[in-house]
Amino acid sequence: MLIPHPLLGLRDAQEFTYLGDANLINRPDPNAPNAEAMFCDYVFLRDNPAGVHRELWYHEQGDRSWLVVTRNTVTHEILGAELASDVALAHREGSK
Amino acid sequence: MTRLSGGLIDRNSSFSFTFDGKTYTGHQGDTLASALLANGVRLMGRSFKYHRPRGVVAAGSEEPNAMVELRSGARTEPNTRATVAELYDGLVAKSQNRTGSLAFDALGVNDYFAPFFAAGFYYKTFMWPRAFWEKLYEPMIRRAAGLGRLSMQADPDSYDKGFLHCDVLVIGGGAAGLAAALTAARAGAQVILCDEDFRLGGRLLAESHRLDGAPATDWISTLEAEFETLPNLRVMRRTTVFGVYDHGIYGAVERVSDHVVEPGNKVRQTLWRITAKRAVLAAGATERHIPFADNDRPGVMLGGAMRAYANRWAVTPTQSAKDPVAIFTNNDDGHRTALDLMSKNVPILGVIDSRENAPRFGDYDLFSGAMVTGTKGRLGLRDIEITKGGVASWHRCAALGVSGGWNPNVHLASHHRGRPVWDDTLLSFVPGADGPAGLIPAGACVGLGSTAKALADGAKAAGIALAELGIKTPEVALPDAEDMPVSQADFWHVPGKKRAWVDFQNDVTVKDISLAHKENMKPVEHLKRWTTLGMATDQGKTSNVSALAVMAELTGKSIPQTGTTIFRPPYTGVSLSVLGGGDTGVNFRPRRLTPTHTWAKSQGAEFVEVGQWMRAQYFPQAGETDWRESVDRETKAVRVGVGLCDVTTLGKVDVQGADAGEFLNRMYSNMMGTVAVGKVRYGLMLREDGFAYDDGTCARLGEDHYVVTTTTANAGLVYRNMEFARQCLWPELDVQLISTTDAWAQIAVAGPKSRLLLERVVDEFDLSNDAFPFMGCAELTVCKGLRARLFRISFSGELAYEIAVPARYGNALMARLMELGADLGAAPYGTEALGVLRIEKGHAAGAELNGQTTAAMLGLGRMVSAKKDSIGAVMSRREGLARDARRLVGLQPVGSTERLMAGSHLFTQGTAHSMETDQGWVTSACYSPHVGGYIGLGYLENGDTRMDEEIIAANPIEGSEMRLRVVPAHFVDPEGERLRD
Amino acid sequence: MKFSGFKVIKEALTGHKGWTPLWRDPEPQSDYDIVIVGGGGHGLATAFYLAKSFGQARIAVLEKGWLGSGNIGRNTTIIRSNYLLPGNEPFYEFSMKLWENLEQETNFNSMVSQRGIINLIHTDAQRDAYRRRGNAMRFAGADSVLLSREELREKVPFLNYDNARFPIKGGLMQPRAGTARHDGVAWGYARGADMRGVDIIQNCEVTGFKIERGKVLGVETSRGFIGAKKVGVAVAGSSSRVMSMAGMRLPIESHVLQAFVSEGLKPTIPGVITFGAGHFYISQSDKGGLVFGGDIDGYNSYAQRGNLPVIEDVLEGGMALMPMIGRARLLRGWGGVMDMSMDGSPIIDRTDIEGLYFNGGWCYGGFKATPASGYAFAHLLATDRPHDTAKAYRLDRFAKGYVIDERGAGAQPNLH
């Protein structure tokens, strides 16, 4: 597979380490009253769709960026890739 | 000899080769199969199940029968298709899957018992008595099964891997592929042309068709000359593209040296990973046969193969007018074989065409509306039975060419699991629309099989690829070529009571398919699995479609309704060696060497693999005969004097920024941001699921500057997790990270005399206990100006330091410390002594921190701060983790000097030993010179409340058991006075 | 019809006229007591044991394709019970005991072959860990042997002992482990279930659950609605997809695992061998093919195909461990979709929806579990109580903190 790194262009997927669902960016509030239940969902439950999936890849043998890659899990087609830090910051802006 | 005139062989060359010990000669340009045929050898193998005598069927990589063991000794290569084995001088081949000689195979007896071996028979018997399966039935089956033999010796050849990138990859160098490559290359695109054959031309080489009125080879030669001049085109002969992977990545194997006796200083094969923006699949087509009674005798071949042998290799299986060649066909193409053979003066019995009113193309006997209904000849075809209008007659015939139509080679187009679609006109499957992105099939593999159409379609496919890439397509003049329409009948097999083979190699007959139908194994996947159809080395290339047709007839459905089969990589067999890429033996994985490696080596150290690292395990001295002796000495050196150990492999992460402290508070379960500048703190890290996974130290070198250490095993993981937290969880924090594991050489200087030794290397730095107390850290210089970092931390429980210098100075620093410490008894110690020292002190390592343990189990429950959030804090409070009462304890044998084994399980005295009564296990154990006996660490249920209890360590797998006393997990200096001294 | 050597001989002599379909192709009835979704190994075994051991009637198995088309149809056929943790080991040992009687129970030769499995040891720490595991196996009633390097060399002399990057120091062996003919297992259970009246309905895809007031009433299928008192889902690989139709999210990701087979060879490798310092394991089928595999590709996928890097990684391991296989050829590779769970262990449990039961999360180890999984799931469906050996496989173990994490890798499925 080839991953379109937003800074470095197409890179072989072998340079990356895969983590999983990009929802892992959205760590729950540890001080919420139902924090334990929210963390259980966050840590363990997955949508695991057959289709478009936003997921985290780490450019471990590259520039050490974490990326959010949008990929179809049925065809493996990649629809885009963003810096995870940009996604995380945008998410914060959005939830303010 | 059965050589004809013409052909693409070099008659000036004479290659000597052997088959089953007998010597023959052939020519450059031959394959093993063509050379054997030229020498009158028809019998080349035995079938899988019935051990039926078999000859060559095909002239290409689809060959199911003529499989040999090529070469000898460690280079023996089983299951090699004689049809693609390029002949070289000195080639050695043996037939395989026989007991006795090829002509008198004792297991040929299987054929007489064939009724007992019908499809699926083994699922119905061999069940009684139960124990007989492994002892009798299975060994018998296994011996009879299999094909070729491995030499059982390591492959002596070298292999390589390579990476290529291009705009257009052309797969196949026949008419369509050549036209595609020419078009794309003239357009200036980066082009790679791969062909599995050793000579470009594909089917053009096998036919008598002319291009622009001249032999096809003229045009190919002109083209090859032009290709030489095009720097943007790479032609790769002997290269099979075997698979299509994601995002335009193609796997290919180049057989660099398979056509010579030995590779010499070259590799045998190279695995190429080709990344192509577009690819043209010009893989051609494979002819299918027509099953009829006893259709598997040597001498029965595919018609197109017979033509290829005559035209390209100037070979015919027979030249005797008494034993002529016959053709059995359901289509016009079969007649071409007769014409080509006749033009070379090969005697022809006639053409048997299943079609009533079959067209005539030449002056030969035409059996219209006829079928071949039987054959005779034990080791080779002698007679055939022709039935026409219900009347059967026998005829002498030494070779029969069978033409059942052509199946487009859709394989690569279905590698992404897209299904081929049925074409009612072509009577074959063609690539579907849902093939791999960027792959454009062209020519015979989409059913455009005439030379003119293949040429035009290849050029068109290249044009499509170029247009998609925004490259202008040039005008390319293609040669005039034949464009004869081929009509064929919807005729799939000859009905009859006798066995008619569908899958030659696996011995699957029409009857087997009929039985599968009867037993309700109708879905095509059930059919394949029940009968083993299509599971042979040709992967069903010669059998799948015919079998579908037979099943369709039985179920009364159409062929596409009956099913389609898709193909998986590889297109043809790929050697396991080349997929491994050649980095075998000690080169399997890289070795990471510590900065003091060469010094340690010069000291005679034994090394041990620690992940990718090679670490000094111990340093045997003259007179020491046993590893324990060395380790005990090294351990004592640390306890009474000073020891030196390279601990560079521990992970190091430099953390800087205004929010570094806050960031570390969130990474570690304990408070870390509050550590004072110039101080070090021990830290524990949890995974987000609340389990402990790593520990280490965190040193604060400045207001905004920390250095984190990790365990050796988790250096990469901790760093990855820290980057995750920084970029994904808390991108708003002002913090930067970099791994410095390889940047700093770090040496542990441990023992009561460590301060004395260090004082001799530091440049004006006060090492006194007051100035630089336990858990202090500093940046300083040593050895007159070399920058260094010093940490007063201890893994052994002794007064100890770790000193870090830029990695390139590690070797020199170690040598200097040893030199300066000679009078203090300075001794290097390795990982074994390191392990003993830490067990004696009760420090957790990999065996205790194995990812399954909680902070509380480690005795570090209080290190999970409730005052702040950190990774894993919330989840560490879950019921199951909170209730886990196992605790780390020390363990000491009672009344035994036997070795305590880590991995023993712990039991309360007086209980039966079972899973239910299991109380824990010994995590680590060693001989402790300090204690004077074996000691261990372990996890024990409620261990913290069971001090001094005597328990049992059971190790039934090695038949040992001993009593242990539960003690605190500190065998040395429990109050921690020494390290603060 | 009873299969036997006698029957095979009789049919051979009379032209194979007497064979009958191995199973029927019944039309679905309007409702059943128990509907099993998924006609793979686990679903078929569940139906078999429900009918045979739990006296249940009116059972249907719904399969969207052909029976046995899931991961039972494509796997590396290994059976073993060499687990460490108490949540796992008794279950797999129960499975091993069922394997040992499978053929007599189903009257179908599934070619259960106990030629042993050896997990190789390359470091002292690994030996300690395997000693702990081998002992745990014994305390759960399984068999285990710790082999020294010399003992190992006698058993499998063809490994690379002298030139290895990671020296081979011994092995943990389970002699009773081995392989079974995967399709034969599906067919044995299918035929046995069919003989006992179970309706196995192929080409019947479940498209939804009918759930009212928290209770399941049946399933919508490509062949119409089928009512059911209880519905058991056993569709590993597709678990998230199917259970999402009941509104559930699972602690599971789907990953692709590739496996490979070489061209047929005369007997070479006696049992199953697992490399301890790379991703590679291998056995040889009765037909002669070397059957081997390695790590999962590592990213979420439903594609049933993998990529080159893993193929190369597997063969790098293979060639490092046993360079004598190099001249053989790869014949075929395939990719199966695995239910990779968050702790690497499976789930057999009720759900919050009354009458809806779930069996999944088998990671890459579901084949060996087939008999016990079927038996335990049948037990749960029939009695509403978990089978003794499967008590730990509950869904709430994640929330409550009772994970069964053999590898200690945490909640990251591609590490298990």
Side-chain angles (χ1 to χ4, degrees), chain B residues 258-475:
Chain B
D258 275 351
H259 57 296
V260 294
V261 177
E262 278 185 23
N265 58 4
K266 286 190 176 169
V267 297
R268 177 183 166 224
Q269 299 178 344
T270 299
L271 176 68
W272 292 104
R273 218 191 277 179
I274 303 172
T275 303
K277 291 180 184 145
R278 292 292 181 279
V280 174
L281 178 64
T286 301
E287 197 172 19
R288 55 193 179 220
H289 64 101
I290 305 169
F292 58 87
D294 291 334
N295 59 329
D296 67 327
R297 295 192 198 281
V300 181
M301 307 167 67
L302 291 166
M306 199 175 255
R307 202 156 80 221
Y309 283 115
N311 288 326
R312 178 171 172 183
W313 289 288
V315 168
T316 169
T318 172
Q319 285 202 86
S320 148
K322 189 162 68 70
D323 296 299
V325 175
I327 306 297
F328 178 29
T329 185
N330 64 3
N331 64 75
D332 298 349
D333 187 66
H335 296 255
R336 283 184 184 167
T337 308
L339 293 174
D340 281 6
L341 291 174
M342 284 169 71
S343 76
K344 293 193 172 243
N345 299 319
V346 176
I348 298 289
L349 166 67
V351 175
I352 303 120
D353 195 318
S354 67
R355 299 172 291 181
E356 300 291 343
N357 306 314
R360 170 184 291 282
F361 295 86
D363 182 20
Y364 44 76
D365 281 349
L366 178 62
F367 298 80
S368 186
M371 295 179 286
V372 177
T373 47
T375 66
K376 284 181 191 161
R378 196 177 72 83
L379 297 175
L381 185 65
R382 199 185 66 225
D383 306 281
I384 61 169
E385 184 188 57
I386 302 174
T387 300
K388 181 176 160 70
V391 181
S393 56
W394 284 95
H395 305 260
R396 291 281 288 201
C397 174
L400 177 68
V402 182
S403 297
W406 293 79
N407 289 323
N409 289 332
V410 301
H411 305 70
L412 270 66
S414 65
H415 277 185
H416 286 190
R417 303 188 54 76
R419 295 204 166 263
V421 294
W422 183 255
D423 185 310
D424 261 329
T425 315
L426 293 167
L427 294 175
S428 57
F429 287 101
V430 294
D434 53 353
L439 181 74
I440 307 161
C445 80
V446 296
L448 299 173
S450 83
T451 312
K453 288 202 170 65
L455 287 165
D457 199 43
K460 184 180 148 204
I464 295 169
L466 292 168
E468 287 177 359
L469 298 174
I471 302 172
K472 194 167 173 294
T473 306
E475 284 296 322

Side-chain angles (χ1 to χ4, degrees), chain C residues 125-185:
Chain C
Q126 220 168 16
R127 187 186 293 110
D128 290 348
Y130 278 143
R131 189 180 291 113
R132 179 187 170 203
R133 192 202 290 204
N135 283 326
M137 289 162 65
R138 290 191 173 217
F139 294 130
D143 58 320
S144 62
V145 183
L146 206 55
L147 298 173
S148 68
R149 183 183 147 97
E150 291 69 35
E151 290 165 326
L152 183 72
R153 198 162 187 161
E154 210 158 287
K155 282 187 189 299
V156 280
F158 47 79
L159 303 182
N160 179 8
Y161 291 95
D162 302 320
N163 177 34
R165 172 70 178 81
F166 300 102
I168 299 168
K169 296 189 171 177
L172 174 66
M173 180 171 188
Q174 184 180 26
R176 282 163 63 241
T179 58
R181 168 83 187 115
H182 56 104
D183 289 324
V185 176

Side-chain angles (χ1 to χ4, degrees), chain B residues 326-664:
Chain B
I327 306 297
F328 178 29
T329 185
N330 64 3
N331 64 75
D332 298 349
D333 187 66
H335 296 255
R336 283 184 184 167
T337 308
L339 293 174
D340 281 6
L341 291 174
M342 284 169 71
S343 76
K344 293 193 172 243
N345 299 319
V346 176
I348 298 289
L349 166 67
V351 175
I352 303 120
D353 195 318
S354 67
R355 299 172 291 181
E356 300 291 343
N357 306 314
R360 170 184 291 282
F361 295 86
D363 182 20
Y364 44 76
D365 281 349
L366 178 62
F367 298 80
S368 186
M371 295 179 286
V372 177
T373 47
T375 66
K376 284 181 191 161
R378 196 177 72 83
L379 297 175
L381 185 65
R382 199 185 66 225
D383 306 281
I384 61 169
E385 184 188 57
I386 302 174
T387 300
K388 181 176 160 70
V391 181
S393 56
W394 284 95
H395 305 260
R396 291 281 288 201
C397 174
L400 177 68
V402 182
S403 297
W406 293 79
N407 289 323
N409 289 332
V410 301
H411 305 70
L412 270 66
S414 65
H415 277 185
H416 286 190
R417 303 188 54 76
R419 295 204 166 263
V421 294
W422 183 255
D423 185 310
D424 261 329
T425 315
L426 293 167
L427 294 175
S428 57
F429 287 101
V430 294
D434 53 353
L439 181 74
I440 307 161
C445 80
V446 296
L448 299 173
S450 83
T451 312
K453 288 202 170 65
L455 287 165
D457 199 43
K460 184 180 148 204
I464 295 169
L466 292 168
E468 287 177 359
L469 298 174
I471 302 172
K472 194 167 173 294
T473 306
E475 284 296 322
V476 174
L478 296 171
D480 285 337
E482 65 83 25
D483 195 13
M484 200 177 84
V486 174
S487 112
Q488 67 176 314
D490 187 9
F491 175 78
W492 296 95
H493 73 106
V494 177
K497 290 208 151 80
K498 292 185 82 175
R499 284 179 295 169
W501 271 261
V502 179
D503 183 324
F504 290 115
Q505 189 182 107
N506 272 357
D507 280 321
V508 182
T509 65
V510 171
K511 276 186 176 185
D512 290 312
I513 298 172
S514 163
L515 183 59
H517 174 259
K518 192 168 192 174
E519 298 192 281
N520 199 16
M521 287 296 196
K522 290 174 206 160
V524 61
E525 287 292 339
H526 282 168
L527 168 67
K528 287 171 67 174
R529 289 146 193 268
W530 187 243
T531 63
T532 74
L533 174 111
M535 306 285 201
T537 53
D538 73 324
Q539 283 218 63
K541 287 191 185 76
T542 56
S543 59
N544 277 355
V545 177
S546 307
L548 279 174
V550 173
M551 185 54 101
E553 188 180 294
L554 290 162
T555 54
K557 292 182 184 168
S558 71
I559 290 173
Q561 281 172 336
T562 303
T564 52
T565 56
I566 61 168
F567 296 89
R568 298 168 187 280
Y571 175 66
T572 53
V574 176
S575 85
L576 302 187
S577 278
V578 77
L579 290 170
D583 282 342
T584 58
V586 291
N587 298 320
F588 166 52
R589 289 287 181 259
R591 285 163 185 257
R592 293 176 79 181
L593 304 182
T594 67
T596 64
H597 189 85
T598 50
W599 178 85
K601 207 167 172 184
S602 73
Q603 299 301 303
E606 289 288 328
F607 291 93
V608 64
E609 301 74 19
V610 180
Q612 289 193 340
W613 290 102
M614 298 302 295
R615 294 188 73 179
Q617 190 175 17
Y618 55 96
F619 294 80
Q621 302 293 301
E624 288 173 351
T625 56
D626 179 75
W627 67 273
R628 259 282 308 283
E629 218 178 313
S630 310
V631 173
D632 287 359
R633 175 185 48 74
E634 290 172 17
T635 311
K636 277 184 206 150
V638 173
R639 295 270 177 243
V640 302
V642 55
L644 301 164
C645 183
D646 187 331
V647 293
T648 304
T649 62
L650 296 175
K652 308 176 200 77
V653 185
D654 221 66
V655 184
Q656 300 193 36
D659 295 324
E662 174 58 23
F663 177 76
L664 290 169

